[in-house]
Amino acid sequence: MDLGLNGRVVLVTGGSRGIGRAIAEVLLREGASVAICGRDGDACAATADELGPTVAAFGANVTEDDEVEALLSAVGERFRRLDGVVNNAGRFGGGPITDVTDAAAFAGLDSKPVGALRVVRHALPLLRQSDQPRIVNVAGASAERVTVGASVTAMANASMLALTAYLARELVQDRICVNAVVPGFVRTGVWDDRLDAIARAEETSREEAATLVLTQNHIGHARWGQPAEVAGVVAFLLSAGASFVSGSALRIDGGQAATVDY
């Protein structure tokens, strides 16, 4: 399916690995040019080298406004346009909610919803020049469902959904479609690291730990997703075919959180 993304330019934050990298890969196959950024500039550069010449890598921490401003300036200088932003950057934080410190809570919020807001704020001048401007925010199932060990991440993800709704309402006058995707349990490198820690603690294998996580979250009937399964939906939301989709939060979880009250 041709999504009509040939020649488009999309910025993907947190793009060096996992879901962010998978999004970049799908966009490249659709003919788009991609800018990726992350706190680890070397990791982003290595990913860009692997993905090809139409990928530009930038080291930028979305918790630092001056770095975000410099990032968008550099993207503009490199590509002379920007058609889409995918806010994927964030960090995992968890533990019992009553044990969460102020510092941990602020760090989680600063890197996800507030970081995404910084990116959008500095991207707007370029996005307003596009004839197909799109913003896609990557949240997570913990925004809607209590997930064992993910309290800080859950607060950040829930805030991403609120941010999406407000941006969609306020940017409709600029023809900018703003949506969120809400992935369920997806096998990224970050999750594999966590599964290895669980496996060591439980004296079991990584795959058995993966099954245990689903069971603990009352979805033992489901399966883990793959980053590419999220990336394909994000690519659609960036496309012309999604021109009347805005303010939505789309679950991508294989039925992990199927309800009738969405």
Side-chain angles (χ1 to χ4, degrees):
M1 179 179 180
D2 182 2
L3 294 177
L5 293 172
N6 188 54
R8 300 288 172 177
V9 176
V10 180
L11 167 64
V12 182
T13 68
S16 66
R17 60 188 297 198
I19 290 174
R21 176 177 175 139
I23 292 168
E25 290 173 343
V26 169
L27 295 176
L28 291 171
R29 288 199 295 271
E30 292 291 332
S33 295
V34 181
I36 61 173
C37 77
R39 294 189 301 272
D40 188 338
D42 291 338
C44 285
T47 296
D49 287 342
E50 293 171 2
L51 295 181
T54 55
V55 180
F58 302 93
N61 186 340
V62 298
T63 67
E64 300 294 336
D65 190 68
D66 58 341
E67 292 189 23
V68 175
E69 183 178 18
L71 165 68
L72 270 301
S73 177
V75 169
E77 290 178 8
R78 169 68 182 270
F79 295 104
R80 301 300 175 186
R81 65 183 295 170
L82 182 64
D83 302 287
V85 169
V86 180
N87 285 307
N88 176 65
R91 62 180 67 188
F92 180 83
I97 189 67
T98 52
D99 292 342
V100 172
T101 64
D102 287 0
F106 286 133
L109 294 169
D110 199 18
S111 66
K112 194 114 184 164
V114 181
L117 180 58
R118 290 188 188 98
V119 173
V120 169
R121 187 166 58 236
H122 290 294
L124 279 177
L126 287 169
L127 288 175
R128 286 178 173 135
Q129 296 175 40
S130 172
D131 63 346
Q132 187 178 299
R134 303 283 189 267
I135 297 169
V136 180
N137 296 323
V138 180
S142 61
E144 305 170 329
R145 183 184 66 234
V146 174
T147 303
V148 175
S151 56
V152 174
T153 298
M155 291 190 293
N157 282 333
S159 296
M160 285 291 272
L161 299 188
L163 174 66
T164 299
Y166 277 84
L167 287 174
R169 175 66 64 86
E170 294 184 11
L171 297 180
V172 67
Q173 62 190 5
D174 294 304
R175 306 168 293 100
I176 300 175
C177 295
V178 187
N179 294 285
V181 293
V182 188
F185 288 93
V186 176
R187 286 295 289 268
T188 62
V190 171
W191 256 115
D192 280 343
D193 291 344
R194 293 188 63 209
L195 292 175
D196 286 341
I198 294 171
R200 289 192 297 271
E202 299 292 331
E203 298 183 343
T204 188
S205 69
R206 177 192 285 180
E207 295 310 310
E208 289 174 339
T211 299
L212 176 62
V213 167
L214 296 183
T215 301
Q216 287 177 332
N217 286 282
H218 309 291
I219 50 174
H221 62 282
R223 70 169 176 87
W224 286 79
Q226 296 299 320
E229 294 178 296
V230 178
V233 178
V234 172
F236 167 72
L237 291 173
L238 291 166
S239 75
S243 58
F244 200 51
V245 183
S246 193
S248 296
L250 183 57
R251 287 178 180 161
I252 311 172
D253 65 4
Q256 292 175 4
T259 66
V260 296
D261 61 349
Y262 188 63

